[in-house]
């Protein structure tokens, strides 16, 4: 009975309950959250680089830029204690992403240098298995929020309603990513990074 009532709010706890072994859960926690920590670290580096580009005249080093970024992010991290309290932040983040895409597409379209005839081979020349796997892992990582699913369900009044979220989020993300990729390719972006197609200037730094 104690096992049936075990807390399963994290992937580690679920693994421990399934394997009936605490050390198995500890290993999963170290692997999952260790990998997540590396991913979040890359986001912090991106945030620091963005601040450096925005404040390019200040000569700010990457360490200072990341530190300032952490201080800014500390405010919502401290204030938001439950998942439901992050709804406004999520909507704000969505609007920010839409605004960035709009500015990027506009700037790229205005400065586009497309030829009247563009050859688009079915398979890119020089494509290697490592490039394919690298692109595939980016797609997988975009959807790889599984490590937080149990934690999200733990905060819900009816955890059984959690699968309903995928009815909305799944098709929305696929359609959104596809539109961004197709529009970017149409505008002449030939890189996996949309910003690589933007010329240097205020929109790019913003």
């Amino acid at each position: 009975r104690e096992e049936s009532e075990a807390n399963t709010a994290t992937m580690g706890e679920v693994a421990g309950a399934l394997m009936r072994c605490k050390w198995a859960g500890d290993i999963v926690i170290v692997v999952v959250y260790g990998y997540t920590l590396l991913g979040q670290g890359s986001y912090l580096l991106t945030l620091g680089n963005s601040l450096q580009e925005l404040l390019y005249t200040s000569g700010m080093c990457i360490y200072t830029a990341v530190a300032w970024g952490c201080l800014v992010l500390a405010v919502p991290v401290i204030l938001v204690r439950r998942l439901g309290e992050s709804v406004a932040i999520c909507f704000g983040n969505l609007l920010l992403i839409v605004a960035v895409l709009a500015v990027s597409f506009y700037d790229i379209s205005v400065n586009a240098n497309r030829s009247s005839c563009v050859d688009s081979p079915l398979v890119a020349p020089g494509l290697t298995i490592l490039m394919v796997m690298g692109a595939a892992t980016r797609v997988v990582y975009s959807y790889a929020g599984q490590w937080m699913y149990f934690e999200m369900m733990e905060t819900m009044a009816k955890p059984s309603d959690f699968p309903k979220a995928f009815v909305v989020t799944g098709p929305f993300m696929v359609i959104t990513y596809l539109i961004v990729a197709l529009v970017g390719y149409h505008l002449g972006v030939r890189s996996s990074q949309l910003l690589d197609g933007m010329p240097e200037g205020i929109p790019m730094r913003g």
Side-chain angles (χ1 to χ4, degrees), residues 64 91 101 129:
T64 304
F91 274 107
L101 289 175
I129 186 62

Side-chain angles (χ1 to χ4, degrees), residues 37 39-51 64-81 86 89-90 92-93 96:
L37 178 63
Q40 301 304 320
S42 66
Y43 289 145
L44 291 177
L45 288 176
T46 301
L47 176 60
N49 289 330
S50 300
L51 289 177
T64 304
V66 172
W68 277 108
C70 292
L71 288 176
V72 173
L73 292 177
V75 177
V77 169
I78 294 174
L79 294 179
V80 176
R81 306 304 301 173
S86 65
I89 296 178
C90 291
N93 184 56
L96 180 60

Side-chain angles (χ1 to χ4, degrees), residues 5 32 45 52 54 56 59 90 96 105 110 134 147 150-151 170 174 193 201:
E5 295 180 352
V32 171
L45 288 176
Q52 284 182 310
L54 181 63
Y56 65 99
C90 291
L96 180 60
F105 283 145
V110 169
W147 61 273
F150 296 108
E151 298 177 14
V174 171
Q193 299 293 332

Side-chain angles (χ1 to χ4, degrees), residues 153-203:
M153 287 186 283
E154 181 73 10
T155 65
M156 296 176 62
K158 295 180 62 179
S160 59
D161 288 340
F162 181 77
K164 297 178 181 178
F166 294 101
V167 177
V168 178
T169 59
F172 175 79
M173 286 190 291
V174 171
I175 293 173
T176 302
Y177 290 158
L178 184 60
I179 290 176
V180 171
L182 293 178
V183 172
Y185 187 80
H186 173 71
L187 294 176
V189 179
R190 297 297 182 264
S191 171
S192 60
Q193 299 293 332
L194 184 64
L195 296 181
D196 290 344
M198 296 179 64
E200 294 292 337
I202 295 177

